[in-house]
């Protein structure tokens, strides 16, 4: 389990050691990406956390989420042809809706803070 700061204390996102696990084979399109996460707060009707994915390509069905990329780079391709591909990197702010089908190609390990 990732050690989170006590109230009134701080850590950087780099201090959060995350335990990675392989993605399910049916989600992987290319490479051998792994993911990890740390839930920072889930006391209300929303969850706030840190999520990370190593280089590779994987499919996902999204949750209702807002996220900010802290580090790394990726391209997010939407199955819905009316949506443009997104190039994301540090500082990118993205909103996803429940049920969106996406393909993520991570070129540099991507770490984001999310609210879902």
């Amino acid at each position: 389990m990732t050690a989170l700061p006590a109230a009134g204390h701080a850590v950087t996102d780099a201090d959060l050691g995350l335990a990675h696990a392989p993605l399910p084979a049916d989600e992987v399109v290319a490479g051998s990406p792994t993911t990890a996460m740390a839930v920072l707060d889930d006391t209300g009707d929303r969850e706030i956390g840190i999520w990370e994915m190593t280089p590779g390509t994987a499919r996902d069905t999204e949750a209702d989420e807002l996220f900010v990329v802290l580090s790394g780079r990726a391209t997010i391709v939407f199955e819905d042809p009316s949506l443009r591909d997104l190039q994301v990197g540090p500082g990118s702010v993205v909103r996803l809706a429940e049920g969106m089908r996406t393909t993520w190609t991570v070129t540099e390990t991507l770490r984001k803070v999310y609210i879902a």
Side-chain angles (χ1 to χ4, degrees), residues 11-100:
V11 296
T12 68
D13 72 297
D15 294 329
L16 296 173
L18 302 177
H20 278 255
L23 287 167
D26 63 334
E27 293 178 12
V28 175
V29 175
S32 300
T34 63
T35 61
M37 66 179 287
V39 175
L40 302 176
D41 184 30
D42 65 354
T43 56
D45 61 347
R46 294 274 186 188
E47 179 178 283
I48 301 169
I50 301 285
W51 178 87
E52 187 172 83
M53 181 175 159
T54 61
T57 303
R59 291 185 191 93
D60 196 19
T61 301
E62 302 300 337
D64 192 24
E65 171 184 351
L66 175 75
F67 69 83
V68 179
V69 176
L70 300 172
S71 60
R73 301 209 173 274
T75 301
I76 305 168
V77 175
F78 295 93
E79 192 175 279
D80 180 341
S82 69
L83 298 172
R84 297 180 317 158
D85 297 353
L86 296 178
Q87 304 290 323
V88 299
S92 295
V93 179
V94 179
R95 168 89 166 74
L96 299 172
E98 180 80 29
M100 285 181 153

